[in-house]
Amino acid sequence: MAGDHLPLAELTSSGRPVLLPSEIECSFLSNVELESENSANFSVRLKSGLLILTTHRLIWLPPNPVPPGSKGCYVPLAAVSHIVSKKSMKSMFASPRLSFQVSVGPDGRVDTKSLVRGSRSIVMTAVMRGKGDVDSFVAKFWENWRGRAWERDNEELGSSSSVKSGHESGSGSGGFDSTGMRVVGVAGILRREQEIWESTDKSLHDAFQDLNALMSKAKEMVMLAEKMRLKLLSGSSQAGAANNEEMGSKEEMQDWLLSVGIISPVTKESAGALYHQQLSRQLADFVKFPLERSGGMINLIDIYCLFNRARGTELISPEDLLRACSLWDKFDVPVMLRKFDSGVMVIQNKSYRDEEVFARIKTLVTKPDTLRMGISASDAALTLGIAPAMAKEHLLTAESQGLLCRDVSPNGFRFYVNLFPEIISDDLYLVQHHGVYAMWNTIVSSA
């Protein structure tokens, strides 16, 4: 099995890979077979899957539909020692092939960190039978392998720790300048001030010149926000008695995390022909957080604004969003697109049930004041904690189920509890002494 030799890649509920810190997806290819040369203790045969190239890994995912609980596998670019790119006449009649050498340890597993003693090289081949842009994929493969982004991550971690230690050691050297001379008198003070100004000027110069360093710091903030978002989502599923202050701080944190953005947004350039499929899966992962805040249902327009804000400059069109949502029926994702009779489209969890909303609406319309005056969409919105437009759709749906009656006036719509099921058709003037009808009769008579 491939899992015995290649490390496993964790997948989200929508079937997308869980990316590493600062890892960005670069290219996609469908219908790719991944195989290795014959070896005593190393054998990989993966058929017709999705191959994803990132800045850190070469990820292979099982074909659609992805079985629940299944995982993909990957080859770290750090383990690739050589890339073989050959062009021959056979490529005109056969599927393109890309071969590369990976470092394998004595235990028969791909070396994921560094070359270990006793490691050897194994040739692996990716047979690309799909219709994607193979040349672009190979070019980006070379670019990412030469870029060695995983080494930069390690260097940044090491430099940050060394800078911290340097500041700590420098803070204890009072009375001496950078050359080791004692700071004495006015001349020493002036010399020390000059060194401070030169150090500040150098820091500002480096900060504004090295834009890559600034971008890396921004990526670190996005990664931190992503970890906190996942922690909040996992913590929300656990029962707990939190006070109002804790809940308020959590909501503020959620609002802040929504504005941070997506680390690696799916683009047409990277996904190619698989753009809408991958966009649909990424959208399914993204909407879990807003759906939790909105009670399981949210307007499609609101998701369009939130999703585009999270994508930054990689904006999508309304048509792309609608097409991505329509593809959820083909994937095993926990969300779905729903269209009301009025034409309003929303996104909701598959576990969302209208009966729970109807029960809350019925409790609202059977109160003494609302039995006589009815309720509006704004009244229902306050009770349900949703927008008035969404509350109106719920009221209209409840009316279609026979739970409510509607009164249309110049002031707008008013909804009342449906009393007709409790009226006996054979004796219309019979006054009952129980049920909602009896309560309504008592309230109207005393008014």
Side-chain angles (χ1 to χ4, degrees), residues 44-325:
V44 174
R45 293 291 185 273
L46 301 174
K47 301 294 184 181
S48 300
L50 175 65
L51 193 62
I52 302 177
L53 173 65
T54 71
T55 53
H56 293 64
R57 297 179 293 174
L58 196 62
I59 306 174
W60 185 92
L61 301 183
N64 292 326
V66 179
S70 63
K71 294 185 178 181
C73 54
Y74 67 91
V75 177
L77 297 187
V80 177
S81 58
H82 186 64
I83 299 177
V84 181
S85 179
K86 295 182 179 180
K87 293 185 178 181
S88 63
M89 294 298 295
K90 293 182 63 177
S91 62
M92 298 174 57
F93 309 101
S95 300
R97 294 171 178 263
L98 174 63
S99 299
F100 51 93
Q101 293 180 353
V102 296
S103 176
V104 179
D107 57 351
R109 297 184 61 85
V110 171
D111 185 12
T112 58
K113 295 183 180 180
S114 60
L115 294 176
V116 297
R117 186 174 182 180
S119 62
R120 56 195 175 92
S121 296
I122 296 293
V123 177
M124 299 189 64
T125 303
V127 184
M128 307 169 185
R129 304 188 185 279
K131 298 181 180 180
D133 191 351
V134 177
D135 294 336
S136 176
F137 185 90
V138 174
K140 291 180 180 179
F141 188 24
W142 275 97
E143 180 181 353
N144 291 353
W145 181 62
R146 290 168 175 167
R148 313 188 76 81
W150 57 92
E151 293 182 354
R152 292 199 301 269
D153 295 342
N154 297 332
E155 291 176 358
E156 289 175 1
L157 292 176
S159 62
S160 61
S161 59
S162 62
V163 169
K164 182 178 180 180
S165 61
H167 282 302
E168 292 176 353
S169 61
S171 60
S173 60
F176 295 88
D177 60 7
S178 59
T179 60
M181 298 179 60
R182 178 174 292 274
V183 178
V184 180
V186 177
I189 296 176
L190 291 177
R191 187 186 311 115
R192 187 171 183 178
E193 290 292 332
Q194 180 67 22
E195 290 181 355
I196 294 176
W197 279 109
E198 291 178 355
S199 176
T200 304
D201 182 70
K202 184 177 183 301
S203 299
L204 291 175
H205 179 76
D206 293 341
F208 284 104
Q209 288 293 327
D210 193 359
L211 296 180
N212 292 329
L214 295 177
M215 292 300 296
S216 66
K217 294 299 180 183
K219 291 179 181 178
E220 291 178 4
M221 294 301 298
V222 173
M223 290 185 292
L224 176 62
E226 182 70 13
K227 292 180 181 178
M228 296 176 66
R229 184 184 72 86
L230 295 176
K231 186 175 181 180
L232 285 176
L233 284 178
S234 61
S236 62
S237 59
Q238 302 175 357
N243 53 33
N244 295 332
E245 183 177 355
E246 291 176 350
M247 292 300 295
S249 61
K250 181 178 179 180
E251 291 179 357
E252 292 179 0
M253 180 63 66
Q254 291 174 346
D255 292 335
W256 178 75
L257 291 177
L258 278 176
S259 63
V260 173
I262 299 175
I263 299 177
S264 179
V266 175
T267 62
K268 292 183 178 179
E269 180 182 0
S270 62
L274 303 174
Y275 170 67
H276 288 100
Q277 293 184 17
Q278 294 301 315
L279 181 67
S280 177
R281 295 182 183 275
Q282 188 173 65
L283 180 62
D285 292 332
F286 175 81
V287 297
K288 292 180 183 178
F289 191 45
L291 283 176
E292 181 191 356
R293 299 181 60 227
S294 59
M297 178 183 290
I298 190 171
N299 197 305
L300 188 62
I301 299 177
D302 296 337
I303 283 294
Y304 177 74
C305 297
L306 292 174
F307 193 51
N308 265 336
R309 184 177 69 174
R311 289 175 62 88
T313 58
E314 302 293 343
L315 303 180
I316 64 172
S317 64
E319 291 78 11
D320 289 338
L321 179 70
L322 188 59
R323 186 172 177 182
C325 294

